[in-house]
Amino acid sequence: MSLTTWRLQTSPTRSFRAVSVSLTRKQFLQRLLLAGCGFALPGTLRAQSDPAPEYDFYFTRLMYESGDWDVDQRMPSNVLNSLIEYTSLNVDPDERIVPLADPEMLLAPFCYLAGHKLVEFTAAETRNFRDYVNRGGFVFVDDCNHDIDGLFARSFETQMVKLFGEDCLQKLPDDHDLYRCFFQFDELPVTSFELNGWGDDLVHDYLKAIVVDGRIAVLYSNKDFGCEWDYDYRNKRWLAIDNTKFAVNIVIYALTS
């Protein structure tokens, strides 16, 4: 696998005033990040005296009532460490756990949902998930069973059909921006858990996504990336290739798409 690296620069001193035009949260984050990279902003969004947000990024894990949402507990800190290592984003070092039923999740720049068991949203969870996705949110969903016919996969995909209609989850093409928005990947990374005798014993050579207004709103994986990245960040030095680099791509895509 060949990789090319771009470094995302941000400035800890930038600040913004309220704007008269209507911006989605995604548009604001994209302009904020582009400003840190040195790109000129439209006249409606300029550095002013108001304080900047405390963090450019924080990791939000979604708690849902039906299944085992609290999986791969070391994964978030490892991903956050990589964002700090490879980018200049101002990153909250602590994972935030927010119930899917809580409207607070609607403010998150990125959400993570995973598990092994049943996914069956309550009415409040359904409402928030749909609203978050349709308003420009980004959810990374990872099947810890790495099994396209397992309970998590079947029940989660059923939920998505109920919320967004038949065929809402489409295969992501190999040339998608996700694979080159920060590090450049010539193929989808393989996880060591895909051929370990548990699950469907297949290497999944694609991801699926729900696309809203031309951008990924829900990124769906049967590859069990969460387990792949679930180790103490200090052990990364033993890896020939840092396997969390794809996680960096996912986050950067979420913030800038």
Side-chain angles (χ1 to χ4, degrees):
M1 182 185 305
S2 62
L3 298 175
T4 304
T5 308
W6 290 272
R7 185 166 178 79
L8 182 67
Q9 298 291 337
T10 63
S11 168
T13 60
R14 67 182 181 279
S15 55
F16 299 92
R17 63 179 174 86
V19 296
S20 57
V21 297
S22 175
L23 293 177
T24 66
R25 178 179 54 78
K26 285 292 173 189
Q27 290 169 327
F28 178 79
L29 283 167
Q30 184 177 32
R31 294 186 180 196
L32 181 149
L33 288 171
L34 290 176
C37 293
F39 292 95
L41 295 177
T44 54
L45 191 61
R46 299 291 186 187
Q48 298 292 329
S49 58
D50 294 339
E54 183 180 0
Y55 295 111
D56 300 324
F57 177 79
Y58 55 90
F59 187 106
T60 299
R61 182 193 294 267
L62 294 178
M63 178 194 307
Y64 55 101
E65 292 188 18
S66 59
D68 60 337
W69 56 269
D70 191 15
V71 294
D72 305 325
Q73 296 181 12
R74 295 171 299 181
M75 183 273 282
S77 62
N78 198 22
V79 172
L80 291 168
N81 173 262
S82 293
L83 288 169
I84 293 170
E85 178 180 358
Y86 294 119
T87 80
S88 295
L89 287 169
N90 186 14
V91 176
D92 184 349
D94 297 318
E95 174 189 13
R96 303 186 187 188
I97 298 174
V98 180
L100 177 54
D102 188 336
E104 180 185 346
M105 64 81 56
L106 297 171
L107 302 176
F110 167 100
C111 289
Y112 174 71
L113 186 149
H116 303 86
K117 300 180 181 179
L118 180 70
V119 181
E120 189 171 81
F121 293 158
T122 66
E125 290 172 344
T126 297
R127 181 177 59 253
N128 282 352
F129 194 99
R130 181 191 293 115
D131 288 350
Y132 181 75
V133 167
N134 287 334
R135 294 178 184 178
F138 182 96
V139 188
F140 174 41
V141 179
D142 194 38
D143 173 15
C144 291
N145 293 323
H146 43 89
D147 185 351
I148 57 175
D149 199 35
L151 178 57
F152 182 93
R154 287 187 282 108
S155 59
F156 173 75
E157 291 173 26
T158 296
Q159 288 295 301
M160 294 302 98
V161 170
K162 288 180 179 178
L163 268 65
F164 304 107
E166 292 287 343
D167 301 321
C168 59
L169 284 163
Q170 298 292 325
K171 290 184 180 181
L172 205 63
D174 295 338
D175 60 351
H176 195 276
D177 286 347
L178 178 69
Y179 301 116
R180 58 176 184 266
C181 62
F182 195 80
F183 297 106
Q184 183 166 314
F185 291 85
D186 55 14
E187 60 186 1
L188 178 63
V190 174
T191 65
S192 58
F193 295 90
E194 291 180 271
L195 286 176
N196 67 357
W198 173 44
D200 55 18
D201 291 344
L202 298 174
V203 172
H204 303 285
D205 59 0
Y206 60 85
L207 301 177
K208 288 187 176 182
I210 295 175
V211 175
V212 177
D213 295 331
R215 56 172 295 279
I216 295 174
V218 179
L219 181 66
Y220 175 49
S221 157
N222 293 115
K223 297 179 73 68
D224 197 5
F225 281 118
C227 280
E228 190 76 358
W229 304 330
D230 183 35
Y231 53 85
D232 190 290
Y233 71 93
R234 290 168 293 189
N235 292 336
K236 213 164 39 171
R237 64 187 183 274
W238 306 114
L239 298 177
I241 297 176
D242 180 0
N243 59 17
T244 64
K245 287 183 175 180
F246 188 60
V248 175
N249 271 42
I250 294 173
V251 170
I252 296 304
Y253 179 89
L255 294 179
T256 60
S257 63

